[in-house]
Amino acid sequence: MALPADRAVRPALSKLCSQCSSFTARQSRQSAAFLQSAQQRSVSSIRGAQSSPSSSRQAGGITTPVSRPTQTSIISKLPSVVSQSRSKASSSTSFATNEDLAGSGIPSKPILEQDNLFHSFTNSPIPKIRQRAAFIKQHASCPHHSHRPGQFSETSRQVDAESGSQPPKHLDFECPDCGIPVYCSEQHWMDDYEKHLEICDTLRQINEDDHDLHSGRHFYEFNYAGPQMEDAMVNMTNWDTFMYTRQFEAVNDDRCMRQATKLLTYPLTIGSILHELSPYHIRNRLTVEGLKSLTALRYTLHPPKTGGNESIKGLRPEAPPVRLFILGARAESSLPRDAWVQLAHLFPRSRFHLIFIGPESMMNRDDEFPLPPRTPSNPYGAVVEDRVWPTMKISTIVDYYHTIHKTGYFAPHDPYFDAFVLFHPGLGHPASSHEWEETLPMLLETKAPIIATGYTQADMERDVEWVNKKAKGEFDILMEPGENIFRSLRWDLNDLDPQDISAGNWGVWAFRGKRYEATVKDNVIAV
């Protein structure tokens, strides 16, 4: 039985040229079976309802309280109906029909209209947002200068007469312009009004984006593009040129663009660095050592055509899949699988094996519990998804990387086929840096590229400084730290400090263990 998207694409094929028509039809037939099985096997929806806002960060697999927001609380808000409609149109999203969407579970009438998205968190019509407001008021402290810094204490209520400072106090006043709890009283809000204006518009944008996720509308921006024609070029200058050349459905609304990039920033951050048409090159942040390392990976990811086909005479040896080790995985491991498939579409002639490692790598994936038992063939109880896409396999291991590395389970590591990715690792954060001290030497030992991102410029620079302090002279910078072209366009709010806003994968940089090459002087005679 044909998929709805396959039925929808047939009338459109007649309007294409013969070459495009035959290619699209062939790709549609080949991927139909995989799409049906992927919808059943893969984690194709963002899991469950939003839990209480998180106040922890993953550091090498350890959960530690810090002041930065996690991505999981934002991603878990997306309704499950979004992934249902997205799965139906994943092979040919541009031709989805109204009949296809009729059975997707999308409510006939949205809960909130697009011109009615602004509500104060406390009085929000969405219960989960009201719960979030209560969490912020309970845990965040007033940033007014009259309060002493430090953790709020019920026993410390008296005003310090000598310094004139007040003890820390919880938030209890919501700004009428952004609708988010920001100060303990209206008086303190008025005193710091000019300072608050610097972020007020951004906080209001966060407010409306959160309500938009619960509005019940159809999220057409999550209908991703299907396979790319092999001879078609991809322009990775920015989000707009990428989505246009990848033939995404047009996203003409800024809010929809922010919601779409919130998920796509993870696969595109990796793809934009590894692709042969990467915007990062020797004249744009890439170092000489980086060019050497990434050239090896790009050679594997863009293999030359061998003339092979499905016949006996056309059989050719294939390179092993490129392994991407995503350490300290949290929200990225629960992304809809068709978001990660976009990475496979960028490299149609290569195979990928994504390996999520970390104790929180199964976050928001409760439907997959209990985990597989640990057996000799599966010593770490990995959750294996081998039907995500014909050229992509995903494994999830709930364990620490340094534990696995010591056993040599993934050895040997090859710079032509391996790379490590650290999304917001918090390497230099005081509460989590000690957890990475054991892992860092093992990563450098592999000599494979290590791609790391940061929430903000300060967060990224702190990580760079920590690596330079702990392994000075033992690593090479592959890509200079800087803003990520494919960062999330949506801003995130730190529930422990509403004054602290950030963007997913705002900055990116890369490094690897230093390689030592033996040289022989001309006047030395070998014995």
Side-chain angles (χ1 to χ4, degrees):
M1 181 178 178
L3 291 177
D6 189 38
R7 295 196 301 268
V9 78
R10 288 171 183 168
L13 291 177
S14 61
K15 301 179 183 180
L16 302 175
C17 66
S18 58
Q19 179 182 0
C20 297
S21 176
S22 60
F23 173 83
T24 308
R26 183 171 66 255
Q27 290 291 346
S28 179
R29 290 194 301 268
Q30 292 177 353
S31 61
F34 290 99
L35 287 172
Q36 288 178 332
S37 59
Q39 291 173 17
Q40 300 174 359
R41 292 172 174 266
S42 66
V43 188
S44 60
S45 61
I46 301 177
R47 299 287 174 174
Q50 178 190 7
S51 57
S52 60
S54 174
S55 60
S56 63
R57 156 175 266 165
Q58 178 69 26
I62 294 294
T63 304
T64 50
V66 293
S67 61
R68 297 232 52 85
T70 60
Q71 304 295 311
T72 309
S73 61
I74 305 296
I75 294 179
S76 61
K77 300 176 186 177
L78 298 177
S80 59
V81 297
V82 174
S83 59
Q84 295 174 9
S85 61
R86 180 174 63 249
S87 299
K88 287 190 174 184
S90 59
S91 64
S92 180
T93 59
S94 300
F95 308 114
T97 62
N98 293 333
E99 290 78 5
D100 299 334
L101 301 177
S104 62
I106 300 174
S108 57
K109 185 177 181 180
I111 301 175
L112 295 174
E113 298 294 341
Q114 290 300 294
D115 58 353
N116 185 33
L117 293 178
F118 177 73
H119 299 273
S120 67
F121 270 28
T122 301
N123 301 315
S124 172
I126 308 300
K128 294 174 185 176
I129 296 182
R130 295 198 299 269
Q131 294 175 6
R132 189 181 185 189
F135 181 92
I136 294 175
K137 290 183 176 181
Q138 182 180 0
H139 294 86
S141 300
C142 179
H144 193 267
H145 59 83
S146 64
H147 293 289
R148 291 196 302 267
Q151 185 69 25
F152 178 84
S153 175
E154 293 292 337
T155 59
S156 177
R157 295 181 177 273
Q158 298 180 354
V159 177
D160 190 338
E162 296 181 358
S163 63
S165 62
Q166 301 176 4
K169 194 172 183 181
H170 287 322
L171 305 182
D172 195 39
F173 178 78
E174 288 181 330
C175 171
D177 296 324
C178 63
I180 294 177
V182 285
Y183 285 91
C184 65
S185 65
E186 183 177 3
Q187 181 62 40
H188 284 183
W189 170 73
M190 294 178 63
D191 291 345
D192 282 355
Y193 184 68
E194 291 185 1
K195 180 180 179 181
H196 176 70
L197 279 180
E198 298 176 1
I199 61 172
C200 188
D201 290 341
T202 304
L203 291 177
R204 183 185 179 100
Q205 183 184 103
I206 295 173
N207 183 323
E208 295 181 352
D209 287 348
D210 280 354
H211 282 91
D212 178 56
L213 287 179
H214 296 87
S215 65
R217 69 173 176 89
H218 171 47
F219 292 83
Y220 72 92
E221 61 268 31
F222 296 125
N223 292 342
Y224 301 141
Q228 182 86 343
M229 291 182 62
E230 191 169 338
D231 296 331
M233 304 292 285
V234 179
N235 189 328
M236 307 190 78
T237 304
N238 52 48
W239 277 113
D240 292 327
T241 59
F242 168 79
M243 299 182 77
Y244 177 78
T245 54
R246 275 288 289 117
Q247 300 178 355
F248 275 71
E249 185 175 347
V251 181
N252 299 319
D253 183 76
D254 289 342
R255 179 171 292 111
C256 294
M257 191 68 171
R258 293 195 295 269
Q259 306 289 25
T261 59
K262 177 66 181 179
L263 303 186
L264 289 176
T265 179
Y266 292 95
L268 263 297
T269 295
I270 301 174
S272 64
I273 296 175
L274 302 183
H275 202 273
E276 63 180 355
L277 300 178
S278 169
Y280 308 108
H281 44 77
I282 195 67
R283 291 173 296 188
N284 183 24
R285 296 172 53 185
L286 206 62
T287 65
V288 174
E289 292 298 325
L291 183 61
K292 295 178 182 178
S293 289
L294 295 183
T295 298
L297 275 171
R298 291 170 182 173
Y299 178 80
T300 303
L301 293 171
H302 299 278
K305 295 183 179 180
T306 61
N309 53 53
E310 297 177 356
S311 65
I312 297 298
K313 294 183 179 180
L315 294 179
R316 300 288 188 275
E318 293 186 358
V322 173
R323 300 186 300 181
L324 297 179
F325 298 90
I326 302 175
L327 308 187
R330 291 166 295 178
E332 55 270 22
S333 66
S334 62
L335 284 183
R337 289 322 186 220
D338 47 354
W340 282 112
V341 166
Q342 294 302 309
L343 185 62
H345 291 336
L346 285 175
F347 308 92
R349 298 202 306 272
S350 300
R351 293 184 296 158
F352 281 98
H353 185 188
L354 305 185
I355 306 172
F356 298 105
I357 301 177
E360 292 183 315
S361 59
M362 292 298 293
M363 181 178 293
N364 290 336
R365 297 171 62 178
D366 297 339
D367 294 344
E368 299 178 52
F369 284 99
L371 297 175
R374 301 197 175 198
T375 62
S377 59
N378 188 12
Y380 293 100
V383 179
V384 180
E385 304 168 61
D386 55 357
R387 292 293 185 268
V388 176
W389 193 253
T391 58
M392 176 172 284
K393 173 183 176 181
I394 296 180
S395 299
T396 305
I397 300 178
V398 184
D399 211 325
Y400 303 101
Y401 174 76
H402 58 263
T403 302
I404 304 173
H405 183 90
K406 292 177 181 178
T407 64
Y409 183 66
F410 291 115
H413 291 276
D414 191 333
Y416 278 81
F417 297 98
D418 295 332
F420 294 90
V421 183
L422 315 177
F423 289 116
H424 318 112
L427 298 175
H429 196 280
S432 58
S433 59
H434 64 283
E435 302 295 347
W436 286 100
E437 291 187 6
E438 186 175 2
T439 303
L440 180 63
M442 298 179 182
L443 296 181
L444 299 179
E445 178 186 337
T446 65
K447 310 301 181 184
I450 305 168
I451 302 172
T453 68
Y455 285 111
T456 62
Q457 182 174 359
D459 182 38
M460 179 179 58
E461 291 177 349
R462 183 174 55 193
D463 290 350
V464 175
E465 182 181 355
W466 182 84
V467 173
N468 188 58
K469 177 181 177 181
K470 295 297 180 179
K472 187 174 183 180
E474 296 298 326
F475 72 98
D476 291 318
I477 293 290
L478 305 184
M479 189 171 73
E480 297 292 343
E483 185 174 356
N484 181 11
I485 295 176
F486 289 94
R487 72 172 180 85
S488 171
L489 299 181
R490 174 179 165 161
W491 293 100
D492 298 327
L493 176 67
N494 183 3
D495 292 350
L496 296 178
D497 182 9
Q499 311 292 324
D500 183 17
I501 55 179
S502 59
N505 299 324
W506 181 92
V508 64
W509 62 296
F511 63 103
R512 64 158 167 77
K514 184 178 288 293
R515 297 177 182 174
Y516 296 95
E517 299 180 0
T519 59
V520 180
K521 295 183 178 180
D522 296 337
N523 57 354
V524 176
I525 301 177
V527 179

